[in-house]
Amino acid sequence: MIAIRAAKVTLVAAIALFASLVVFGNLTDYNTNFAFVQHVLSMDTIFPSSTIGYRAIANPALHHAAYAIIIAAEAATAIICWIGAVTMLHHVRASAGVFNRAKTFAVVGLTLGFLLWQVGFMSIGGEWFGMWQSQQWNGVPSSFRIVITIAVVLIFVATYDQDFEPSEPTRN
């Protein structure tokens, strides 16, 4: 059904837009968003009695490097998802096999986004650096929302598309 394929294209474009806006915000409001990374890595707002403080990274150069990696991963997610959405759109009326192969960039971009927010923010930031302990710099709930959204879109996009019903026109 063309509506299902159009929905897949649209949802991938929506994730691409989200990641693009995140990159834009991180670049145009660098210092505000950098403060988040700096506080998480410094672990300066975790519980005073916490015994994991030895994991803290206090070097500002490493804070900037980590932030640059985050922004690069967000940008890669955006770019790859945009390519995926355009590729899928270009093949939206193609045969099932062609359309399913056209999902490759979308699946890669969505997977990268999932890994960034799940591994980068929830696992490394949340668990290793104890971000969940911070009242002010806890990004785990926001990251979880993003991870779930991307996961749902990834599952939907990855479902195999069938050829159109005979009653539907199939133009390439």
Side-chain angles (χ1 to χ4, degrees):
M1 175 188 297
I2 194 75
I4 298 290
R5 291 184 182 188
K8 290 179 180 187
V9 171
T10 304
L11 293 181
V12 172
I15 298 297
L17 175 63
F18 171 76
S20 297
L21 293 173
V22 170
V23 171
F24 180 78
N26 284 340
L27 293 175
T28 60
D29 193 14
Y30 186 91
N31 290 328
T32 299
N33 295 301
F34 173 70
F36 174 85
V37 174
Q38 191 173 33
H39 284 287
V40 169
L41 295 180
S42 296
M43 300 176 72
D44 56 0
T45 60
I46 62 170
F47 301 153
S49 62
S50 181
T51 60
I52 64 170
Y54 70 91
R55 301 175 187 169
I57 297 174
N59 186 330
L62 293 178
H63 296 164
H64 285 285
Y67 192 39
I69 291 168
I70 291 167
I71 294 170
E74 292 164 347
T77 298
I79 292 166
I80 297 168
C81 283
W82 280 122
I83 293 169
V86 169
T87 303
M88 290 169 57
L89 180 62
H90 181 72
H91 296 95
V92 75
R93 294 189 177 273
S95 68
V98 169
F99 184 74
N100 285 310
R101 284 188 297 278
K103 297 176 186 179
T104 301
F105 280 105
V107 169
V108 170
L110 293 167
T111 301
L112 178 58
F114 177 89
L115 291 172
L116 170 62
W117 277 282
Q118 169 59 47
V119 176
F121 285 92
M122 292 181 64
S123 298
I124 296 171
E127 290 303 318
W128 183 256
F129 289 105
M131 180 171 60
W132 66 271
Q133 295 181 27
S134 176
Q135 291 293 325
Q136 185 176 1
W137 303 105
N138 182 4
V140 173
S142 294
S143 296
F144 180 75
R145 173 181 43 84
I146 296 164
V147 164
I148 293 301
T149 302
I150 291 174
V152 169
V153 173
L154 179 58
I155 291 166
F156 179 54
V157 168
T159 58
Y160 189 81
D161 284 83
Q162 302 294 323
D163 280 315
F164 293 116
E165 296 297 323
S167 61
E168 291 188 68
T170 56
R171 291 178 275 157
N172 288 331

